[in-house]
């Protein structure tokens, strides 16, 4: 983030240094959470020959990650401020050009800055859909059935809190 703050102090900065902190303050926590999720679902040893991905206790993993997932609620609470920062940046001709170029590029999936800003908020409902589908196809006698149910309840509560945060 130091590089972004430094770049924001240049003569023709895309955004103000105060906006960099607003826009990217949650990025380290979101990246750390992504790494935790990847670690939780990946093999525990470098030798993946005996790793069975279908034996990962997904419900237990999501239950273990419940507290770190709160970063999505924190991000949501600041989302309106993020949007205002982007709108301010749209007064900068260079920012507008970069954003338009990004929208045209295939390697960016034709997504602009606003699309990237909403992505973390959209992730949690996708986790809920995943957990609902897993629960639907998990036998109630399976050892992960109860943790899946608890994880779905937790994630649904998080989605509701995020929705409420956006409304108020």
């Amino acid at each position: 983030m130091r590089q972004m703050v430094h770049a924001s102090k240049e003569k023709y900065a895309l955004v103000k240094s105060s906006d960099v902190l607003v826009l990217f303050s949650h990025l380290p926590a979101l990246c750390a959470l992504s790494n935790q999720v990847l670690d939780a679902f990946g093999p525990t040893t470098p030798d993946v020959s005996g790793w069975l991905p279908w034996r990962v206790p997904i419900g237990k993993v999501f239950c273990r990650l419940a507290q770190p997932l709160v970063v999505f609620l924190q991000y949501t609470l600041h989302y309106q401020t993020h949007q205002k920062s982007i709108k301010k940046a749209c007064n900068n001709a260079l920012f507008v050009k970069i954003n338009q170029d990004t929208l045209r590029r295939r390697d960016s999936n034709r997504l602009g800055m606003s699309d990237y800003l909403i992505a973390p908020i959209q992730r949690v409902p996708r986790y809920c859909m995943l957990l609902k589908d897993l629960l639907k196809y998990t036998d109630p006698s399976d050892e992960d059935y109860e943790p899946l149910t608890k994880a779905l309840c937790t994630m649904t509560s998080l989605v509701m809190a995020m929705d409420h945060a956006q409304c108020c």
Side-chain angles (χ1 to χ4, degrees):
M1 185 141 51
R2 266 183 273 123
Q3 295 92 340
M4 291 182 257
V5 172
H6 178 72
S8 69
K9 294 178 182 174
E10 295 291 322
K11 185 176 181 180
Y12 299 106
L14 296 177
V15 293
K16 296 177 184 172
S17 59
S18 59
D19 290 339
V20 168
L21 296 174
V22 168
L23 287 168
F24 301 106
S25 63
H26 295 96
L27 193 58
L30 289 167
C31 289
L33 176 61
S34 291
N35 287 333
Q36 284 180 289
V37 170
L38 289 172
D39 290 345
F41 289 109
T44 55
T45 64
D47 177 21
V48 296
S49 60
W51 181 60
L52 304 172
W54 58 87
R55 294 306 307 152
V56 173
I58 295 171
K60 289 178 184 172
V61 167
F62 272 96
C63 288
R64 236 185 359 256
L65 292 173
Q67 186 57 43
L69 286 164
V70 171
V71 70
F72 288 112
L73 177 58
Q74 294 165 341
Y75 183 88
T76 302
L77 288 168
H78 296 102
Y79 180 71
Q80 294 302 325
T81 309
H82 297 162
Q83 286 295 93
K84 288 177 187 173
S85 296
I86 293 299
K87 284 183 182 171
K88 280 195 288 185
C90 286
N91 294 327
N92 180 314
L94 181 57
F95 178 88
V96 171
K97 182 185 180 328
I98 291 170
N99 200 44
Q100 288 173 343
D101 289 348
T102 303
L103 288 167
R104 285 190 217 105
R105 292 175 46 183
R106 283 187 178 179
D107 64 341
S108 68
N109 293 323
R110 295 187 170 96
L111 299 174
M113 181 62 90
S114 293
D115 300 310
Y116 286 108
L117 285 175
I118 194 73
I121 294 173
Q122 294 171 332
R123 185 177 293 182
V124 179
R126 289 180 181 147
Y127 285 155
C128 283
M129 290 187 296
L130 169 73
L131 291 169
K132 278 181 189 173
D133 282 349
L134 285 170
L135 203 53
K136 185 168 51 173
Y137 294 104
T138 301
D139 190 279
S141 65
D142 189 286
E143 67 181 60
D144 204 33
Y145 188 83
E146 187 179 324
L148 276 171
T149 304
K150 184 178 178 186
L152 178 58
C153 182
T154 301
M155 296 304 289
T156 302
S157 296
L158 182 57
V159 168
M160 290 181 354
M162 290 169 63
D163 285 344
H164 181 73
Q166 286 184 330
C167 296
C168 301

